[in-house]
């Protein structure tokens, strides 16, 4: 089979880091890193599930930047003139299959750089095991599914929560119950917020917000947020580290 119609990689572990949760703009910024093993000697494309996200950059092993395409058939306008239930269900089924992770499909199509393909082929020729990391920087604005903002006047009454099992609505992943892996989850919040997430809480780290962003987002320059009094909110934030050692 070709890379387009079968699973060509296996996810072994995934890190999800939400580095900026903004209640004012109802947005989330973060990155995810997938540790993968190739299931084919030659891989040109890797497809992941990802809806309503903005993708800023993708890197293989932190060195090779990758080009990518985003295509969600569920958002495409149909040219079908018939308007009946059978036609609707048929189109919905086709759209679902087109992004089915078990078939190697997905909304986010990542092109493997030629240099990195060469590294994989050399490892295969030498019969060496090959594991690589795929890092993706992403953002979500005003999400309509997957996660929901509940906002009131005070931090004690404002929270962000997942509302269904559609993880691919707010970060890139392989959305399939047939491919389970271990996880590490890191969520950065202002000091007045707490975090509850899946897995075991292994550490709470106190940091300067701008310093953490510099470390986690590869020196991405971000403007300091100004509060109502005109002060910059770069003083204190907390990073909650969770780990799921059972494949999920």
């Amino acid at each position: 089979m070709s890379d387009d119609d079968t699973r060509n990689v296996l996810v072994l572990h995934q890190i999800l880091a939400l580095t900026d949760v903004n209640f004012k703009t109802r947005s989330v910024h973060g990155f995810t890193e997938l540790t993968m093993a190739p299931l084919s000697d030659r891989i040109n494309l890797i497809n992941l599930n990802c809806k309503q996200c903005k993708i800023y950059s993708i890197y293989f092993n932190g060195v090779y930047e990758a080009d990518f395409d985003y295509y969600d058939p569920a958002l495409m306008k149909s040219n079908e003139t018939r308007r009946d239930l059978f036609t609707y269900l048929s189109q919905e089924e086709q759209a679902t299959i087109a992004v089915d992770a078990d078939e190697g499909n997905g909304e986010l199509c990542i092109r493997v750089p030629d240099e990195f393909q060469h590294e994989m082929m050399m490892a295969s020729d030498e019969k060496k095991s090959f594991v690589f990391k795929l890092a993706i920087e992403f953002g979500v604005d005003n999400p309509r599914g997957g996660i929901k903002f509940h906002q009131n006047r005070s931090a004690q009454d404002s929270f962000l929560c997942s509302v269904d099992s559609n993880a691919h609505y707010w970060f890139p992943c392989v959305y399939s119950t047939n491919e389970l892996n271990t996880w590490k989850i890191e969520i950065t919040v202002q000091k007045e917020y707490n975090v509850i997430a899946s897995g075991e809480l292994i550490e709470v780290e106190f940091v300067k917000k701008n310093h953490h962003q510099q470390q986690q987002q590869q020196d991405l320059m971000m403007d300091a947020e100004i509060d109502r009094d005109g002060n910059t909110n770069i003083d204190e934030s907390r990073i909650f580290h969770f780990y799921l050692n059972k494949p999920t």
Side-chain angles (χ1 to χ4, degrees), residues 23 150-159 192-193 228:
F23 283 91
H150 294 265
Q151 185 176 8
N152 290 303
R153 293 184 177 181
S154 65
Q156 290 76 15
D157 297 325
S158 300
F159 59 93
E192 61 266 28
Y193 289 95
R228 295 179 180 178

Side-chain angles (χ1 to χ4, degrees), residues 45 47 55 58 67-71 106-111:
L45 302 172
N47 294 321
I55 305 299
I58 300 178
D67 295 326
F68 59 90
D69 294 310
Y70 178 79
Y71 172 73
E107 296 87 351
L108 181 60
C109 181
I110 304 167
R111 292 190 286 274

Side-chain angles (χ1 to χ4, degrees), residues 52-82:
Q52 68 178 8
C53 291
K54 294 180 180 178
I55 305 299
Y56 299 110
S57 65
I58 300 178
Y59 279 88
F60 284 82
N61 281 351
V63 177
Y64 304 105
E65 186 172 10
D67 295 326
F68 59 90
D69 294 310
Y70 178 79
Y71 172 73
D72 186 353
L75 301 179
M76 299 297 104
K77 185 176 180 180
S78 174
N79 294 324
E80 178 60 59
T81 57
R82 290 179 295 178

Side-chain angles (χ1 to χ4, degrees), residues 28-231:
V28 173
H29 185 279
F31 73 92
T32 186
E33 180 185 86
L34 299 90
T35 301
M36 294 179 159
L39 300 178
S40 173
D41 294 338
R42 184 176 179 83
I43 298 177
N44 299 319
L45 302 172
I46 295 176
N47 294 321
L48 297 177
N49 298 111
C50 180
K51 289 181 177 288
Q52 68 178 8
C53 291
K54 294 180 180 178
I55 305 299
Y56 299 110
S57 65
I58 300 178
Y59 279 88
F60 284 82
N61 281 351
V63 177
Y64 304 105
E65 186 172 10
D67 295 326
F68 59 90
D69 294 310
Y70 178 79
Y71 172 73
D72 186 353
L75 301 179
M76 299 297 104
K77 185 176 180 180
S78 174
N79 294 324
E80 178 60 59
T81 57
R82 290 179 295 178
R83 296 292 185 268
D84 57 71
L85 181 59
F86 177 80
T87 301
Y88 171 78
L89 293 176
S90 176
Q91 291 179 338
E92 184 180 44
E93 181 181 10
Q94 293 175 16
T96 301
I97 294 174
V99 295
D100 186 356
D102 292 328
E103 298 296 328
N105 300 324
E107 296 87 351
L108 181 60
C109 181
I110 304 167
R111 292 190 286 274
V112 182
D114 293 339
E115 301 91 335
F116 194 72
Q117 290 187 47
H118 181 66
E119 283 192 16
M120 286 192 290
M121 292 176 64
M122 288 182 59
S124 177
D125 293 340
E126 297 173 4
K127 308 299 182 182
K128 295 181 179 179
S129 60
F130 190 85
V131 175
F132 64 92
K133 297 181 185 297
L134 182 65
I136 305 172
E137 183 184 358
F138 67 93
V140 183
D141 296 323
N142 294 310
R144 296 187 177 184
I147 55 175
K148 185 175 182 180
F149 283 90
H150 294 265
Q151 185 176 8
N152 290 303
R153 293 184 177 181
S154 65
Q156 290 76 15
D157 297 325
S158 300
F159 59 93
L160 173 70
C161 66
S162 59
V163 293
D164 48 44
S165 61
N166 294 321
H168 61 305
Y169 273 72
W170 53 289
F171 66 93
C173 61
V174 175
Y175 185 61
S176 172
T177 57
N178 294 322
E179 188 168 325
L180 307 179
N181 53 268
T182 57
W183 292 79
K184 184 178 181 182
I185 300 174
E186 302 176 358
I187 302 178
T188 303
V189 294
Q190 295 178 2
K191 61 181 180 180
E192 61 266 28
Y193 289 95
N194 286 311
V195 177
I196 300 174
S198 300
E200 178 184 358
L201 178 62
I202 57 176
E203 182 185 6
V204 179
E205 181 183 359
F206 290 82
V207 296
K208 299 293 184 180
K209 182 179 179 182
N210 58 345
H211 171 71
H212 172 64
Q213 290 175 339
Q214 182 180 20
Q215 295 294 319
Q216 296 288 3
Q217 300 177 27
Q218 301 177 345
D219 298 324
L220 177 68
M221 298 302 296
M222 300 184 68
D223 292 333
E225 183 178 317
I226 307 299
D227 63 20
R228 295 179 180 178
D229 297 325
N231 299 316

